[in-house]
Amino acid sequence: MLDAKTIIVVAADQGLRRSVAFALEVEGYATQSYDTLRTAEHASRLALCTVLDDDILRSEPQAAAQFLSNRGGPAILLVDGLSALQQRVDYTTLTKPFTGADLLGVINSLIEAAK
């Protein structure tokens, strides 16, 4: 069941999806994981936020542009330090590798900013 405490995880890499979902679930968040933007689009509009791996942006550029402009809630973009995209106002970046504490810090700051 999707609710306002659910976090969507979108990454082509299954290991990354599992790791991020596990770190969030340990902290009490529900997660739903997807391997493409198209499958995650509807759920991301209803969720607390979406964690999105930047590899998806390169593999699905058209879907990514639409996704980033039409999502309902905040997004956290996981970026490689060497290929980090320029920070934009409509999403927050987190550079890989990161810890669970780093991810939770970003999520908590998004929640506080939304209040």
Side-chain angles (χ1 to χ4, degrees), residues 5-10 16-33 48-52 76 78 94 98-108 111:
K5 198 167 168 147
T6 300
I7 296 175
I8 305 302
V9 179
V10 186
L16 180 60
R17 282 194 316 270
R18 285 183 179 170
S19 294
V20 171
F22 177 77
L24 295 170
E25 290 167 359
V26 164
E27 294 298 321
Y29 291 101
T31 64
Q32 287 189 4
S33 298
L48 176 65
C49 72
T50 301
V51 178
L52 175 67
I76 299 168
L78 305 177
L94 181 59
F98 57 89
T99 66
D102 296 334
L103 179 59
L104 291 170
V106 171
I107 289 170
N108 289 334
I111 292 169

Side-chain angles (χ1 to χ4, degrees), residues 29-89:
Y29 291 101
T31 64
Q32 287 189 4
S33 298
Y34 299 91
D35 61 353
T36 68
L37 288 169
R38 287 179 182 86
T39 57
E41 190 171 357
H42 176 71
S44 70
R45 291 190 184 121
L46 306 171
L48 176 65
C49 72
T50 301
V51 178
L52 175 67
D53 185 41
D54 70 342
D55 286 342
I56 291 283
L57 301 183
R58 289 188 286 277
S59 66
E60 299 180 60
Q62 287 180 312
Q66 181 179 355
F67 181 87
L68 288 172
S69 63
N70 293 332
R71 70 185 188 285
I76 299 168
L77 185 61
L78 305 177
V79 298
D80 183 331
L82 300 175
S83 64
L85 301 174
Q86 182 175 357
Q87 175 69 41
R88 290 179 26 187
V89 174

